[in-house]
Amino acid sequence: MTEAQDTPALLDIRGLKVEFPSRRGVLVAARDVDLSLQAGEILGVVGESGAGKSTIAYAIMGLIEPPGRMAAGEIRLKGERIDGLPREKMRKIRGKRIGMIFQDPLTSLDPLQTVEAQLVETMRTHLPISESEARARAVELLGQVGIPNPAERVKNYPHQFSGGMRQRVVIALAISCEPEVLLADEPTTALDVSIQAQILDLLRKLVRDKGMGMIIITHDMGVIAEVTDRVAVMYRSRMVETGPSEKILTHPDHPYSRSLIAAVPPADHRIERFPLVEYIEKAGDEQAKLDLSTHWLGQARDFGSHEETLLKVEDLTMRFMTRPSLIPSRRRYMTAVDHVSFAIRNGEVFGLVGESGSGKSTVARLICGIHKPLSGRIHFAGEELTAFTSRRAANHLRRQMQMIFQDPYSSLNPRMKVRDIVAEPIRFHKLASSNAQVRRIVSDLLDHVGLGASAALRYPHEFSGGQRQRISIARALATRPRFLICDEPTSALDVSIQAQILNLLKDLQEELGLTMLFISHDLPVIRQMCDRVGVMQHGKLLEVAETESLFTSPRTDYTRHLLKLMPRMKRAA
Amino acid sequence: MLFFIARRLAQSILVMLTVALIAFTLFQYVGDPINNMVDQDTTLAERERLRQELGLNDPPPVQFWHFVQRVSHGDFGVSYRLKKPVAGLIAERFPATMELSLISAILALGIGIPMGVYTALHRDRLPARLFMTLSLVGISLPTFLIGIFLILLFGVQLRWLPTFGRGEVVHIGWWSTGLLTKSGLQSLLMPAFTLAVFQMTLIVRLVRAEMLEVLRTDYIKFARARGLKTRAIHFGHALKNTLVPVITIIGLQVGSIIAFAIITESVFQWPGMGLLFIQAISEVDIPVMAAYLLLIALVFVIINLIVDILYFVIDPRLRVNK
């Protein structure tokens, strides 16, 4: 590396160790971390949640939450040691010399203050400028980060900006005092692909123009491939490998780096299963699998007729009121789903892809009856769902379709034990004859999704995100459904966990002959999972195609645009 | 916003009509008003004439309609006990209760909010812990007990403060105030504090919990990462966000200060509406009870309306954006 030069590195970290003492003992969040960053360089720190990536950023900022503390090591900014500085001195470095961007732009801004007030406050804290100078500069900054109409927008409140625009505001705030170092903690994780590309472009441009050094923390190999010059790979609080991005992405030395890269769904071809390397958190695959030909779960799978088409959606339209008013003509509506029609064949995995707000989740909610459509018809297994007037009458059909939600943290009732969560649909639809049978089924289901029957007596908060998603899957299977709606089932998960969950879903689909509606914004995931795909934009279904032909010969401009934005990693053969 | 306020107003009217119905039913089912108005030697014919005159033979919906009409003009009838118009009685007592409630609301908010902020920001310091313990005592002791303790200490033992009444009052128009004389202020001190204790401790705990929540949010972390001054973060960003949800509860609490004044007023023999109400109950003075009921409901409805409008002022997310 560049250590031999006379001028010190912009940021230099040696032997960093961060500890969080707790009642159960000391948790080491990061240890033996060595990093250096040059001006104009973009360094990626990659790893899974809990690997200690963010801890490094907080340590640099001197913002580790007590009782956590930096137990060893030193951090130098241009040769000058900044760890352990008195509070007031450190405060003057934060924002002024080191800026930081957070993951979620929706929660990073004070909702009660205008963007201008927040920018002006930040600048006037660090720079000797007047109120009116600061205001002028605020407008200029918003222009720099690519917000159209900055002079007008500066007076707006955060909620008046979209997610991508808010992240631009956050960036404007972080660079408002021209810091030398910018720390970006998962800056694009909460954003759509097209917005992600724009934000990454912006960050890259700012680093080049202003000669800043940037550390970008992410779990997304695509982001690493896109913008970084060098990468550091973190695994269980240690830095296992550092080197030029090109080399790590193609020829990683450490087995963990290799497994991490293998777990990323390839964008350019379809693979049978995701390779799971032993380095990844134990998959629990050695749990007893059920013999489905004899088990309850496999029974009654003969749903009578074997129609060609299981689900047919015709001319489905749904709108939400965005401005309520007493006078109907003054009401404003947003059409979330606009005359959508498609059909899903028996045993097929049908994908819906689109950016947030494209209406794909609304379609799922309409099908499973969470919302009522404004117009249009939904046919399921030869019966018209939309024709049923009461929910009860449609129960026998609803039993056959189940949904898995995106957020594994809010889709399970925290006050219920896992056993009761999984048993609830069995009891509701009266699918078992006795309590003892319900229990047996629940523990078999938990075994089958790879959690182990012992999970039954615990509460959801004791499980990680991936494990919770397994609980959701077990709950969905508990009614012996034939149709599964998966709404972004893995987008809240780490890549290695995502690989496990996708493998599980693939297995279940094959074993049980399930039909699936698989919703995702992630094209590589869609490519791995789906037989046919529909592309949605602004509530309209633009095209439906066989997955492979969609990727090789897209028919609409929008699909081509989406495909172009898809982060691609060069891989070693 | 207009739509929102119009809807809230409509709801308020509905609430008031419901309360009016309850008040009206009081007349119907709690005792016979004629018996309460006349003495033993009134003839049956006389009673029947009176009954006809007062409209008591009309069908209940018609009676209710007349009742609502009278009430909306401020006519609550004549007190059975004092033989005076209820509206006048209430107007006489109203300033006393309002002054008491106002001062204790100011006490509760003025001490409660800063203490809540302090205990949230310096969770581990001794004063914060001490205060939290004390607030537990405040929340668990019944109001009348606190009042009696205060009387014992400051009235009987130390003889610093008067133990009952309002002291000297000054009349400004129909409003009588004790805030302008020394004895009036002295008399106000103990009842106001007694009334404030419970609300104060509740507000402390509420503000503390909410503030701790806000301090964990991303925008506070981001404000720290921008190197803003601690004071600006705590009071410029955190406090304002804390107050948004707290306002609702505070509004309801101010309402209940007025309603809870009953107990405090009877402990300190404070000549307010609460005392009037207690006396009315013991003598089944229904017009007074009904009027009090309606008045308290009105106070709650008005406070809630103000709280809803305050939301708009504080939280830009609720204002209609283009």
Side-chain angles (χ1 to χ4, degrees), chain A residues 91 94 107 110 121-122 126, chain B residues 218 222 224 226-227 237 241:
Chain A
R91 181 186 68 73
R94 285 200 293 269
T107 58
D110 185 339
E121 182 187 22
T122 308
H126 293 295
Chain B
D218 286 352
F222 187 40
R224 290 222 167 91
R226 295 201 305 269
H237 296 277
N241 277 285

Side-chain angles (χ1 to χ4, degrees), chain A residues 360-371 403 405 485 487:
Chain A
K360 51 192 197 307
S361 290
T362 312
V363 169
R365 283 155 182 267
L366 287 169
I367 292 172
C368 67
I370 296 175
H371 297 315
M403 187 151 175
F405 294 89
I485 302 170
D487 187 0

Side-chain angles (χ1 to χ4, degrees), chain A residues 58 61 91 94-95 100 102 107-113 121-122 125-126 157 159-160 170 173 325-326, chain B residues 3 6 218-219 221-222 224-230 232 236-237 240-241 244 314-317 319-321:
Chain A
Y58 284 106
M61 298 297 276
R91 181 186 68 73
R94 285 200 293 269
M100 186 163 172
F102 289 85
T107 58
S108 292
L109 298 167
D110 185 339
L112 304 184
Q113 289 193 8
E121 182 187 22
T122 308
T125 304
H126 293 295
Y157 287 93
H159 72 277
Q160 291 164 300
V170 168
L173 275 162
S325 171
L326 282 176
Chain B
F3 171 75
D218 286 352
Y219 54 85
K221 278 189 201 150
F222 187 40
R224 290 222 167 91
R226 295 201 305 269
L228 298 186
K229 296 203 173 90
T230 315
H237 296 277
K240 219 175 152 194
N241 277 285
V244 174
I314 291 187
D315 196 335
R317 282 166 295 188
R319 289 177 218 152
V320 181
N321 43 312

Side-chain angles (χ1 to χ4, degrees), chain A residues 440-499:
Chain A
R440 212 165 45 242
I441 294 168
V442 169
S443 60
D444 287 349
L445 277 170
L446 291 173
D447 257 341
H448 199 73
V449 297
L451 274 174
S454 60
L457 294 174
R458 289 154 71 192
Y459 287 93
H461 70 90
E462 298 173 58
F463 296 92
S464 67
Q467 289 171 318
R468 287 185 206 210
Q469 214 54 318
R470 286 173 192 269
I471 299 171
S472 297
I473 293 172
R475 174 177 61 182
L477 291 178
T479 64
R480 288 186 291 199
R482 64 201 297 201
F483 182 56
L484 217 51
I485 302 170
C486 306
D487 187 0
E488 304 264 10
T490 60
S491 58
L493 307 174
D494 275 331
V495 270
S496 63
I497 311 294
Q498 163 170 295

Side-chain angles (χ1 to χ4, degrees), chain B residues 12 19 77-78 94 111 125 145 166 231 252 255 261 264 312 317:
Chain B
S12 307
V19 175
V78 175
F94 187 70
I111 300 176
R125 288 203 195 157
L145 208 60
R166 276 186 91 187
R231 201 178 346 160
L252 288 176
T264 310
F312 273 98
R317 282 166 295 188

Side-chain angles (χ1 to χ4, degrees), chain A residues 31-60:
Chain A
R31 69 178 91 209
D32 306 326
V33 172
D34 296 320
L35 273 182
S36 76
L37 178 73
Q38 305 298 327
E41 184 185 40
I42 302 180
L43 170 70
V45 176
V46 70
E48 310 203 320
S49 27
K53 313 179 296 274
S54 297
T55 307
I56 299 177
Y58 284 106
I60 295 170

